[in-house]
Amino acid sequence: MQKRLFEFDTATALEPLDVVDGVHHFATRVHPGWDILGNANGGYLMALVGRAVSMATGRPDCVTITAHYLAPCPAGDARITVTPVRAGRRFATTTASLFLSDANGGEKEIIRVLATVGDLATDPGGPSAMQRTMPEIAPFDECLLMSDTSVNDFAHIHGRLATRGQSEDIAFRSGSPSGRATMRGWFAFPDGRPINSTALLLASDAFPPAVFNLSLPAAWVPTVELTVHVRAIPAPGPVACFFDTRFVQNGLLEEDGEMWDANGVLVAQSRQLALAPRG
Amino acid sequence: MQKRLFEFDTATALEPLDVVDGVHHFATRVHPGWDILGNANGGYLMALVGRAVSMATGRPDCVTITAHYLAPCPAGDARITVTPVRAGRRFATTTASLFLSDANGGEKEIIRVLATVGDLATDPGGPSAMQRTMPEIAPFDECLLMSDTSVNDFAHIHGRLATRGQSEDIAFRSGSPSGRATMRGWFAFPDGRPINSTALLLASDAFPPAVFNLSLPAAWVPTVELTVHVRAIPAPGPVACFFDTRFVQNGLLEEDGEMWDANGVLVAQSRQLALAPRG
């Protein structure tokens, strides 16, 4: 039986190079098509590094991962380093970096990551006490396929995904922002790839910024920092996503995300700090 | 005129040692009294390292800082290292670590930090669009001084602070948890030290866990990861604090914080991932 190669796995393929002084080196490629106006999406870059962290530690799930974005990232050859910090029974902590190769044989650091990884499937469990339920999100079939929309003209990443947006939240594209800094929809892959914890890192940044629904300039919203907590491994099927921004202040904003699987289980939370769009 | 020495400044005093291969080394001391049952509070440790990051970079404000907690930390001599990652015009990014000295002349890494720092007073500004106002928090005088309470018997840090808790949120101490995973109150220092961005890092973890108001075991809630976004420099006066936990799932929980200054300006947001208390 041949293993099916999904597009996201190809785009995050890693070649382990060597381990020098405990630091794991991987060769990789920042693939074209996962970008907004030529610069790789922040969630895609986090997934690429998160996958390297999992390979280096042998632990599949980034339970909490933070990336600081240092420079825009066009497609190209890259190197990822993963440096162990501490390895315990339940969790291991690492730092990691992605370096993009330049035309002169040099390289530039694109993101710096701090991650604590584990294996959610073998977690010891413990108390649960959910204080909120899943936010109201329109059913999958009532949401609009983002790849069918004009967003692809600049947000090329939508062409790689089968992500759907709730109509009122993506009406900003036709000049009708909802006035509410909320972005709801469903994350999925067009080739049916299962959504594992690495794909949740991508999902956390795969929708248009919630602030596009406010009366702010529709310009780039560069991420300064993104943290994702993976809370559970998703059940099969698309993942319901809810993003909102509460505070745009002095040119900075946060965007909070919740991701829920088909069984109504919270699978991830995210928060990013970003620069507010400027005209 | 003699400069007044505030207790928090003494407890976060740093002695710059040397700079080796770009890495800044500082000697410091994890002071007793800033602990819960003998282990230093996570916000205090973050403030200690945040201050070192500011000294090493010459930039006063940790705009976004993430700490991963690797081991419990009794009081003692320590060393902090700050490693530059990137320095731009507006922000600089660094990693940092706190190592506690042990009795055998060795040392143990306690927290690993990733921080992007800047100078909020000279920020270029940009659009503001606040989608929420300050949460309802009882007036300062109606909240109860935490240092007057029995919490000091184990949460010694309250003895260092003039922090006040809203009565229904701290009634868990007398056996009457509110049933709502919320913790509200005011952060202040007993000696009137101004609350700057470093003090906000302490404030982000200076209240009892919001989940103590649920029917869970009242046990230790160890922080795995804490991220603080400093959004503005506080005006003089106490800072209103609002913490809540929405999702306790399989033994992990997040706690989100908002901090607001006396002028009603959002000065910080926090989120931590922690282990849920176990009986």
Side-chain angles (χ1 to χ4, degrees), chain A residues 43-191:
Chain A
Y44 165 59
L45 292 173
M46 179 183 263
L48 201 49
V49 175
R51 193 173 172 185
V53 169
S54 286
M55 278 183 75
T57 58
R59 310 202 191 210
D61 307 306
C62 289
V63 176
T64 167
I65 177 168
T66 291
H68 286 227
Y69 293 81
L70 310 171
C73 187
D77 289 331
R79 188 171 61 95
I80 295 174
T81 59
V82 179
T83 307
V85 174
R86 175 186 172 273
R89 203 159 35 137
R90 184 171 183 185
F91 297 132
T93 301
T94 66
T95 61
S97 293
L98 184 142
F99 300 90
L100 187 72
S101 304
D102 66 28
N104 307 319
E107 55 182 20
K108 182 177 195 172
E109 186 168 356
I110 300 293
I111 65 172
R112 179 66 67 103
V113 167
L114 181 55
T116 289
V117 288
D119 183 350
L120 292 171
T122 65
D123 250 12
S128 294
M130 303 298 274
Q131 306 302 300
R132 295 283 198 295
T133 51
M134 188 170 137
E136 295 249 337
I137 298 174
F140 183 81
D141 291 335
E142 290 175 21
C143 289
L144 307 175
L145 200 59
M146 297 296 289
S147 59
D148 277 350
T149 73
S150 62
V151 164
N152 299 306
D153 297 347
F154 54 93
H156 304 120
I157 185 173
H158 295 303
R160 308 277 77 71
L161 303 175
T163 292
R164 286 164 182 258
Q166 191 158 328
S167 55
E168 60 266 46
D169 292 346
I170 59 171
F172 72 89
R173 291 170 304 115
S174 44
S176 304
S178 68
R180 219 184 127 200
T182 299
M183 188 64 57
R184 290 160 293 184
W186 297 82
F187 177 85
F189 289 108
D191 54 11

Side-chain angles (χ1 to χ4, degrees), chain A residues 68 70 86 116 125 127-129 131 225 229 231 246-252 258 266 269-271 278, chain B residues 68 70 86 116 125 127-129 131 225 229 231 246-252 258 266 269-271 278:
Chain A
H68 286 227
L70 310 171
R86 175 186 172 273
T116 289
S128 294
Q131 306 302 300
E225 178 262 349
H229 296 168
R231 303 290 295 265
R246 291 172 295 158
F247 307 115
V248 183
Q249 187 175 270
N250 288 326
L252 285 166
E258 287 173 27
L266 176 81
Q269 281 184 283
S270 64
R271 173 172 286 170
R278 287 161 168 273
Chain B
H68 286 228
L70 310 170
R86 176 186 171 272
T116 289
S128 294
Q131 305 302 299
E225 179 262 348
H229 296 169
R231 303 291 295 265
R246 289 172 296 157
F247 307 115
V248 183
Q249 187 176 269
N250 287 326
L252 285 165
E258 288 174 24
L266 177 80
Q269 280 184 284
S270 64
R271 172 173 287 171
R278 285 161 170 273

Side-chain angles (χ1 to χ4, degrees), chain A residues 18 21 57 107 163 213 230 272-273 275:
Chain A
D18 46 10
D21 296 334
T57 58
E107 55 182 20
T163 292
N213 279 310
V230 176
Q272 65 170 271
L273 183 71
L275 301 182

Side-chain angles (χ1 to χ4, degrees), chain B residues 137-255:
Chain B
I137 298 174
F140 183 82
D141 292 334
E142 291 175 20
C143 289
L144 307 177
L145 199 59
M146 297 296 287
S147 60
D148 277 349
T149 74
S150 62
V151 164
N152 298 307
D153 296 346
F154 54 93
H156 304 120
I157 185 173
H158 295 303
R160 309 276 79 70
L161 303 174
T163 292
R164 287 165 181 257
Q166 191 159 328
S167 55
E168 59 266 47
D169 291 347
I170 59 171
F172 72 88
R173 291 171 303 114
S174 44
S176 305
S178 68
R180 219 183 126 200
T182 300
M183 188 63 58
R184 290 159 294 184
W186 296 83
F187 177 84
F189 289 108
D191 55 10
R193 184 194 186 277
I195 301 171
N196 64 351
S197 57
T198 305
L200 290 174
L201 306 183
L202 171 63
S204 73
D205 195 38
F207 285 80
V211 289
F212 281 1
N213 279 310
L214 301 182
S215 299
L216 294 170
W220 195 33
V221 182
T223 304
V224 176
E225 179 262 348
L226 169 62
T227 294
V228 182
H229 296 169
V230 176
R231 303 291 295 265
I233 299 167
V239 164
C241 296
F242 174 86
F243 297 93
D244 75 329
T245 292
R246 289 172 296 157
F247 307 115
V248 183
Q249 187 176 269
N250 287 326
L252 285 165
L253 60 88
E254 91 291 345
E255 183 174 286

Side-chain angles (χ1 to χ4, degrees), chain B residues 16 44 67 69 84 102 123 146 171 230 239 256 271 274:
Chain B
Y44 166 60
Y69 293 80
D102 65 29
D123 250 13
M146 297 296 287
V230 176
V239 164
D256 280 6
R271 172 173 287 171

